[in-house]
Amino acid sequence: MKVPDALQPEGHASLVSALEQYADNPSAFLALNRDNEYFTCPGIEGFICYRPHGRRWIQFGGPFTDTPSRAELQSQFLEHAHRSGRRIVGVQLQRADAELCAELGLTVNQVGASYAVDLQDFSLRGKRFVRLRNKISRAMRAGLEISEVDADKCADDIETIDARWLREKGKHTKELTFLIGEIGGEWQSLRKLFVGKIDGTAIAYVSYAPVYGSRPGWLHDLSRRLPDCPPGVMEAINSHAIDHMRELGAPWLHFGFTPFTSLDDSHQLPTASRAATRIVRLIADHGDRVYPAQSQLEYKSKWYPTALLPEYFAFDGGISPRSLWSVVRATNIV
């Protein structure tokens, strides 16, 4: 049986339909990023998203298909990779994805977590949000104006903010790839983009992607600001976006995957590598120079998330320096 490993351009419309029906990963919309490839199997609706990197195929999330077909689609993908002389590395797997990979013999380790806020009864009132309210007020007193914008009409502003944001991070800083979303392209109309301006100059933005599944809503994705922004600008933009989302009836706001956070033995699976567990925990404890996990978690914690979702990486054939390097190179995570 011939198994296609990529969709033709005219088949891309089916990707969104599959995500809407089957995706339960808060970051699933990132599967639509440019440069991703898609594995499909005859007779099975849905797909697996991946990117080739050397002798590895880096799989994003689990199989986006109905529950009865998940194991079959994942098995077919593994077999197809092996016939092609490749190994699979799965990233940003949810618990159900991780359990499936473990059942198929892959080494699976928790590498971090994602966080979500239940918006149905959300409010910034109360003592615990005093600091956050003060930061937002400070930004608004500086003259901040926030609006939802068309990405095509503010492309130059976004490019300027991105360039200065990267320069501030240092000449060796690279942008994450694969594990974050993007602005523009075929699916931009499905995202939301909020920009903050002072005196008519764009100084910051936050991009949100739709989330499907058991906790539907929006994913707080790309966020950038100019280095000399007043304090509280990002918080003010997100608060404005939350008000808008609640008006639309969105139940959840997700803050996405943060590597090296909320690690816990209770989250591990039987096929976890002890060596990998030690390495991940070492980075979590001492590796903020490698990846700014704690600063990311501090921002997300300000909103008092109501759901913590452990996330996993899976390694076909066990964890090796080469497989780890494939993940690092494919995602720019360090």
Side-chain angles (χ1 to χ4, degrees):
M1 177 178 64
K2 185 179 186 297
V3 180
D5 63 346
L7 292 177
Q8 297 301 313
E10 61 269 18
H12 282 191
S14 65
L15 298 176
V16 174
S17 176
L19 294 181
E20 290 174 344
Q21 293 182 73
Y22 307 125
D24 201 35
N25 185 325
S27 298
F29 199 81
L30 277 56
L32 302 179
N33 283 359
R34 290 183 289 266
D35 300 326
N36 289 346
E37 297 188 15
Y38 306 100
F39 174 86
T40 61
C41 185
I44 296 179
E45 291 187 9
F47 64 93
I48 285 177
C49 170
Y50 71 102
R51 284 190 188 182
H53 192 276
R55 307 292 293 181
R56 301 295 190 279
W57 285 349
I58 312 300
Q59 175 181 338
F60 175 79
F64 298 114
T65 187
D66 59 12
T67 299
S69 302
R70 283 169 47 80
E72 177 64 18
L73 185 57
Q74 187 68 57
S75 297
Q76 290 280 3
F77 184 53
L78 282 168
E79 292 175 10
H80 183 58
H82 295 168
R83 286 195 300 269
S84 303
R86 301 294 189 270
R87 293 284 185 179
I88 303 301
V89 178
V91 300
Q92 277 202 247
L93 304 176
Q94 298 300 291
R95 178 73 185 201
D97 306 323
E99 291 174 350
L100 173 58
C101 287
E103 291 171 3
L104 294 174
L106 279 67
T107 300
V108 180
N109 276 77
Q110 187 200 0
V111 179
S114 61
Y115 306 86
V117 173
D118 186 341
L119 296 181
Q120 295 185 73
D121 298 313
F122 181 81
S123 170
L124 288 181
R125 294 190 299 270
K127 291 184 178 180
R128 65 179 182 175
F129 287 116
V130 168
R131 286 189 177 183
L132 185 55
R133 292 198 304 271
N134 289 340
K135 292 195 72 172
I136 292 172
S137 295
R138 185 173 176 182
M140 301 308 292
R141 289 196 302 271
L144 180 67
E145 297 181 345
I146 305 164
S147 59
E148 184 177 4
V149 300
D150 186 328
D152 291 337
K153 296 180 180 179
C154 64
D156 291 343
D157 290 337
I158 298 300
E159 184 177 351
T160 298
I161 293 171
D162 285 349
R164 289 190 59 186
W165 180 85
L166 277 172
R167 274 203 307 274
E168 177 71 12
K169 296 295 182 180
K171 63 180 181 180
H172 298 297
T173 300
K174 298 179 181 179
E175 289 192 278
L176 278 178
T177 58
F178 200 34
L179 302 184
I180 60 172
E182 57 192 19
I183 296 175
E186 184 177 2
W187 310 111
Q188 181 58 37
S189 63
L190 301 179
R191 303 184 186 97
K192 288 185 173 293
L193 177 62
F194 291 85
V195 170
K197 294 184 177 182
I198 292 182
D199 295 330
T201 299
I203 61 171
Y205 71 83
V206 183
S207 174
Y208 300 85
V211 176
Y212 311 108
S214 58
R215 293 184 178 89
W218 294 92
L219 170 69
H220 184 302
D221 190 18
L222 283 175
S223 59
R224 303 279 164 78
R225 63 179 180 83
L226 296 182
D228 52 357
C229 267
V233 165
M234 306 309 292
E235 290 85 351
I237 294 175
N238 192 51
S239 177
H240 179 93
I242 285 176
D243 290 342
H244 173 72
M245 293 168 189
R246 294 191 69 214
E247 289 176 2
L248 295 178
W252 290 88
L253 173 64
H254 295 263
F255 283 96
F257 174 55
T258 307
F260 316 123
T261 60
S262 299
L263 305 172
D264 194 287
D265 288 342
S266 65
H267 297 155
Q268 294 289 20
L269 295 175
T271 64
S273 161
R274 292 182 180 180
T277 299
R278 288 194 296 270
I279 292 171
V280 170
R281 294 203 172 198
L282 182 64
I283 296 174
D285 293 338
H286 307 288
D288 209 43
R289 292 183 179 180
V290 175
Y291 187 86
Q294 289 308 310
S295 60
Q296 288 191 13
L297 185 58
E298 286 172 8
Y299 173 78
K300 297 174 183 182
S301 297
K302 292 177 184 178
W303 306 92
Y304 287 88
T306 46
L308 184 157
L309 308 174
E311 298 208 9
Y312 302 81
F313 285 12
F315 297 86
D316 177 19
I319 297 178
S320 68
R322 182 172 293 181
S323 61
L324 289 172
W325 184 242
S326 295
V327 175
V328 169
R329 293 290 294 167
T331 63
N332 279 343
I333 199 170
V334 297

